């Protein structure tokens, strides 16, 4: 607060830039999915879709068919759409507590639009790198799901209460209202973390992490991007892209899968409603990030992108 008061003009611009980041990158990609998934769930369509993929999801994830529906929504909408749909399905008794725990890990992905368009196209200007990042990102989350699947859920599809379609009265209003509130909260979180990075950087809070990561990666620009990305993913990727290190793609892949504390906060806003512990979610995201890094490291060692 003191920094904002003393340097109000500078941080007011940073706040506006954070709002622009939300408005032009996050809002267009997640808001329609928030509305449509709320409608599908309330109308009972999700249950019918889930029934078609139950056998596959039980073998792959150790969860019922609803997890396949949630995974699809997470894969196309990006952060934090998967966390939101997981919480909604749990609240409607369409998934068990055990399944919600598992789903919180593998239903948390960055969107193809962001990876291919923003990262691969705009930031790296390398389409092949974008597809490599997307492939590694999805493969890693599937590997994480298999590792953390544990035993199969004791509850079967038939044992869960059937959620019947709701009346059309006010259904669209409720879906839009809930989605508007959700995206506004996300915008606030993104903006706060965006401004926090600039403030922390100004007071030298990233000095020691950057030195440590420079020793680890051997490149100051990559180290700076990694340090920033642990707080806010997009800012970190922009900074890391200034590097020419051979570890650039593995590091960007790590940041995309980890998401940064900004994405974690966005996701936990919803996952808390499903009583999912933050430590479990942090563990699954870290595992996802490490596997993504390993896949891209091996790929870049074999084929330069």
């Amino acid at each position: 607060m003191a920094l904002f008061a003393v340097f109000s003009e500078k941080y007011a611009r940073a706040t506006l830039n954070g709002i622009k980041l939300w408005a032009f990158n996050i809002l267009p990609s997640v808001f329609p999915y928030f509305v449509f998934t709320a409608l599908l769930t309330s109308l009972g369509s999700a249950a019918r879709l889930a029934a078609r993929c139950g056998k596959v999801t039980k073998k792959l994830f150790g969860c019922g068919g609803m997890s396949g529906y949630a995974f699809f929504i997470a894969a196309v909408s990006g952060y934090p759409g998967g966390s939101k749909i997981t919480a909604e399905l749990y609240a409607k008794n369409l998934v068990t507590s055990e399944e919600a725990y598992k789903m919180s890990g593998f239903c948390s992905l960055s969107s193809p639009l962001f990876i291919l368009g923003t990262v691969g196209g705009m930031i790296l200007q390398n389409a092949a790198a974008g597809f490599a990042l997307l492939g590694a990102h999805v493969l890693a989350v599937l590997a994480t799901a298999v590792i953390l699947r544990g035993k199969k859920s004791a509850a079967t599809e038939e044992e869960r209460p059937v959620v019947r379609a709701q009346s059309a009265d006010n259904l669209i209003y409720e879906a839009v209202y809930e989605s508007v509130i959700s995206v506004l909260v996300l915008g606030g979180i993104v903006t706060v973390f965006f401004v926090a990075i600039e403030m922390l950087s100004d007071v030298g809070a990233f000095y020691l992490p950057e030195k440590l990561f420079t020793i680890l990666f051997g490149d100051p620009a990559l180290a700076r991007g990694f340090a920033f990305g642990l707080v806010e993913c997009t800012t970190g990727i922009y900074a890391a892209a200034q590097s020419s290190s051979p570890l650039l793609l593995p590091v960007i892949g790590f940041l995309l899968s980890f998401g940064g504390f900004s994405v974690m906060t966005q996701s936990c806003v919803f996952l808390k409603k499903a009583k999912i512990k933050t430590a479990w979610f942090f563990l699954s995201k870290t595992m996802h990030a490490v596997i993504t890094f390993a896949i891209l490291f091996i790929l870049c060692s074999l084929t330069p992108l």
Side-chain angles (χ1 to χ4, degrees):
M1 289 174 66
L3 281 172
F4 205 104
V6 175
F7 304 103
S8 57
E9 184 178 350
K10 177 180 182 180
Y11 294 123
R13 287 198 304 270
T15 302
L16 181 59
N17 289 334
I19 293 172
K20 287 179 179 178
L21 173 67
W22 164 75
F24 292 106
N25 292 280
I26 298 174
L27 179 62
S29 61
V30 303
F31 180 68
Y33 289 105
F34 279 13
V35 175
F36 295 146
T37 54
L39 288 172
L40 283 173
T41 304
S42 297
L43 290 170
S45 302
R48 292 191 291 273
L49 291 170
R52 299 179 180 274
C53 55
K55 292 182 179 179
V56 175
T57 58
K58 283 179 181 178
K59 290 182 179 180
L60 185 61
F61 303 139
C63 300
M66 278 294 175
S67 64
Y69 164 69
F71 178 78
F72 172 75
I73 295 299
V76 296
S77 66
Y79 301 125
S83 298
K84 185 175 185 295
I85 192 64
T86 297
E88 287 178 354
L89 294 175
Y90 176 79
K92 294 180 181 293
N93 292 320
L94 290 170
V95 298
T96 65
S97 176
E98 178 191 333
E99 288 177 323
Y101 258 89
K102 295 176 184 178
M103 289 164 59
S104 68
F106 65 80
C107 292
S108 179
L109 298 95
S110 184
S111 72
L113 177 64
F114 178 74
I115 296 176
L116 296 177
T118 303
V119 179
M122 293 174 58
I123 299 177
L124 297 177
Q125 297 182 353
N126 185 334
F131 281 104
L133 286 167
L134 179 60
H137 184 69
V138 175
L139 284 175
V141 83
L142 292 174
T144 302
V146 172
I147 293 170
L148 298 178
R149 70 190 298 274
K151 61 181 181 180
K152 293 183 179 179
S153 176
T156 64
E157 298 293 332
E158 293 74 22
E159 292 170 340
R160 296 193 186 93
V162 177
V163 176
R164 301 187 183 280
Q166 297 178 5
S167 168
D169 294 343
N170 289 329
L171 192 60
I172 295 178
Y173 169 82
E174 291 172 3
V176 172
Y177 177 82
E178 180 185 330
S179 300
V180 167
I181 296 300
S182 296
V183 295
L184 286 176
V185 170
L186 297 185
I189 293 171
V190 168
T191 303
V192 166
F193 275 92
F194 191 89
V195 177
I197 284 182
E198 187 155 342
M199 287 184 169
L200 290 170
S201 181
D202 288 345
V203 299
F206 287 109
Y207 178 78
L208 288 178
E210 284 182 38
K211 290 294 183 183
L212 175 63
F213 295 139
T214 298
I215 295 172
L216 181 63
F217 298 127
D219 186 290
L222 190 62
R224 183 176 181 82
F226 188 75
F228 284 5
L230 292 178
V231 181
E232 206 286 314
C233 176
T234 308
T235 306
I237 291 173
Y238 270 108
Q242 307 305 312
S243 169
S244 57
S245 169
L247 292 175
L248 176 61
L249 273 192
V251 165
I252 289 179
F254 182 100
L255 295 177
L256 282 170
S257 297
F258 186 71
F261 292 113
S262 175
V263 165
M264 288 200 176
T265 303
Q266 296 169 40
S267 300
C268 287
V269 166
F270 301 109
L271 294 178
K272 285 293 184 182
K273 298 176 183 178
K275 301 177 182 178
I276 295 170
K277 295 181 179 178
T278 303
W280 169 265
F281 184 62
F282 179 84
L283 171 65
S284 63
K285 292 304 294 174
T286 303
M287 185 176 294
H288 182 193
V290 170
I291 296 174
T292 304
F293 182 95
I295 292 173
L296 288 167
F297 180 81
I298 294 171
L299 181 62
C300 292
S301 299
L302 299 174
T303 308
L305 295 172

